[in-house]
Amino acid sequence: MTVPRIAIACPGVGLVQRGFERLFRDLFDEMRDDFAMTLFKGGGPKAPDEIILPFLARGGRAIRYLPLHRLIGRTPMHAECLTFALALLPHLIAGRYDIVHVIDPPLARLLFHLRRLLRLRFRLLYTEGTAMPPGDYPPCDRLHQMSAATLNDAVAHGHDPRAMALIPCGYRPDRFVPSADRATLRARHGIAPDRFVILCVAALNRAHKRTHHLIDEVAAMPGEPLLWLDGSLDHGDPDLPAYARARLGDNVRVTHVPSSEVADLFALADVMPHAATFEAFGIAIVEAAAAGLPILTHDAPHFRWLLPNPACWIDMMAPGALAAALTRLRLDPTERSARLMQGYARTTYAWPALRPAWAALYRSMMP
């Protein structure tokens, strides 16, 4: 069989260190030895088979002076994807690629219509990484789902299951080796050995990650647990750090450490709750579980599939439920062990377990 020539295209790669941009970065690194692959990205260092395209980044300085999104009546993300698609187009017209793989919904929609308009021949693979309603999916030739819950929703909405593939996100265990032991890390950060540390690795926002709910629940706990919030404000609410300090005083830390340092946070923490009530996937949850942290998530179909352990599920919508669960974990170490999913996360989501499925998906799209 002819080896597929694959273009992976995502404007956030090289600019955003977490989220689905990192999935595409890892996917390229993992599969490039098996396929002829090119990564089209928005920034970062130059490297073989990686092409940085010129475009208007949604959070960049250029779009402030050239507000294209206002001219077309759309969002900065739409302007980003439009300019990225136009920069990518000459490479696609040259006919070098059999498959174009994208994860940004506006980019998928643009490339689908540009392909039809210009009579290009590539196959379009779209990864659904936003948990959007199935009725809003962009058109594509094959749809990659990250979650069984979103796949089931899509089938219930009328999407053909034969046109979709379910492959979860992968994580790389070699990236999550802490730089020192727990005692050393706590001493380095000025945290007492017996202090209860609640870690949240997620963007800081209200609408999706519900950071405010986590802050309020920790504020209702007895004693002085330390809440460590590590996440970006790129898609967040800038007032949340001040809100956290107003509610918790010195009992909160707000950071956005490089990805290479997240393993240290996992090693020094006692638990990681995730207050969101929905996710497209939740790679930080998997990484924390694989590192050996007890996990608390919302009791919903996606999270039941992601970590199939009822001890990890609570009603994040019920006031006081999270505070009560965290208090039990703080007082009783056996409560923590009941919420460990280290072995499951490592065997299910590590990249070596997922590579065969990705290879089969790409080959299935060839004529």
Side-chain angles (χ1 to χ4, degrees):
M1 180 182 292
T2 303
V3 176
R5 301 164 299 171
I6 303 169
I8 294 182
C10 179
V13 173
L15 301 177
V16 180
Q17 68 174 357
R18 302 182 190 166
F20 60 55
E21 291 83 0
R22 201 184 73 203
L23 166 65
F24 265 33
R25 171 79 258 179
D26 288 352
L27 179 61
F28 173 73
D29 290 337
E30 290 291 333
M31 306 303 298
R32 63 187 303 180
D33 291 338
D34 297 338
F35 298 96
M37 304 186 84
T38 304
L39 175 64
F40 292 94
K41 59 184 185 176
K46 295 182 179 179
D49 301 319
E50 300 182 26
I51 298 175
I52 301 172
L53 296 178
F55 70 106
L56 291 176
R58 74 188 80 169
R61 182 178 301 176
I63 203 166
R64 300 175 193 171
Y65 300 103
L66 185 61
L68 179 62
H69 57 290
R70 295 178 184 171
L71 297 176
I72 61 176
R74 305 304 294 270
T75 68
M77 183 180 184
H78 286 88
E80 174 181 276
C81 289
L82 173 60
T83 53
F84 192 84
L86 294 176
L88 176 63
L89 198 55
H91 300 275
L92 303 183
I93 291 174
R96 303 177 201 160
Y97 302 103
D98 302 299
I99 300 168
V100 178
H101 188 182
V102 299
I103 196 168
D104 299 85
L107 182 59
R109 197 174 298 277
L110 284 163
L111 292 179
F112 185 87
H113 292 301
L114 287 170
R115 181 184 65 175
R116 181 178 58 184
L117 180 66
L118 300 174
R119 299 182 180 180
L120 303 178
R121 301 179 63 85
F122 63 83
R123 304 282 289 170
L124 184 62
L125 172 62
Y126 167 65
T127 287
E128 208 315 274
T130 65
M132 69 167 59
D136 295 338
Y137 289 166
C140 61
D141 298 303
R142 198 76 187 274
L143 197 152
H144 161 231
Q145 296 279 10
M146 299 180 181
S147 162
T150 57
L151 186 146
N152 292 337
D153 287 346
V155 172
H157 192 268
H159 286 270
D160 185 351
R162 295 169 297 180
M164 296 185 287
L166 172 61
I167 308 175
C169 288
Y171 91 102
R172 301 181 69 177
D174 58 301
R175 289 185 179 168
F176 292 92
V177 178
S179 63
D181 60 42
R182 177 183 174 91
T184 301
L185 290 170
R186 287 201 164 208
R188 183 185 299 170
H189 291 283
I191 300 173
D194 60 347
R195 192 165 193 194
F196 189 65
V197 178
I198 302 163
L199 175 67
C200 177
V201 177
L204 307 181
N205 61 53
R206 290 179 173 84
H208 178 199
K209 305 299 183 180
R210 301 180 71 242
T211 311
H212 65 297
H213 177 72
L214 174 59
I215 294 167
D216 291 342
E217 292 290 297
V218 174
M221 292 177 63
E224 293 191 341
L226 175 65
L227 175 61
W228 192 314
L229 300 172
D230 185 77
S232 73
L233 286 165
D234 294 344
H235 302 285
D237 296 315
D239 68 305
L240 277 172
Y243 179 77
R245 295 184 184 101
R247 293 299 319 268
L248 297 169
D250 294 334
N251 296 324
V252 65
R253 296 190 186 183
V254 182
T255 60
H256 189 212
V257 305
S259 294
S260 59
E261 297 178 18
V262 173
D264 288 352
L265 302 186
F266 290 156
L268 65 80
D270 291 295
V271 62
M272 195 174 96
H274 192 79
T277 57
F278 71 94
E279 279 292 352
F281 186 74
I283 189 64
I285 300 171
V286 165
E287 292 164 347
L293 270 180
I295 303 296
L296 292 172
T297 66
H298 185 49
D299 187 3
H302 170 70
F303 298 108
R304 295 176 205 145
W305 168 82
L306 187 69
L307 293 179
N309 178 1
C312 296
W313 316 329
I314 65 171
D315 184 359
M316 290 288 178
M317 297 296 291
L322 178 54
L326 290 170
T327 300
R328 290 195 299 271
L329 285 166
R330 177 170 174 256
L331 298 176
D332 186 356
T334 62
E335 289 279 341
R336 304 180 201 179
S337 62
R339 291 160 175 83
L340 294 176
M341 292 294 287
Q342 187 174 29
Y344 182 84
R346 287 182 173 180
T347 57
T348 306
Y349 300 115
W351 268 106
L354 301 177
R355 292 183 76 256
W358 277 109
L361 173 57
Y362 284 139
R363 292 193 177 103
S364 72
M365 295 188 66
M366 293 296 288

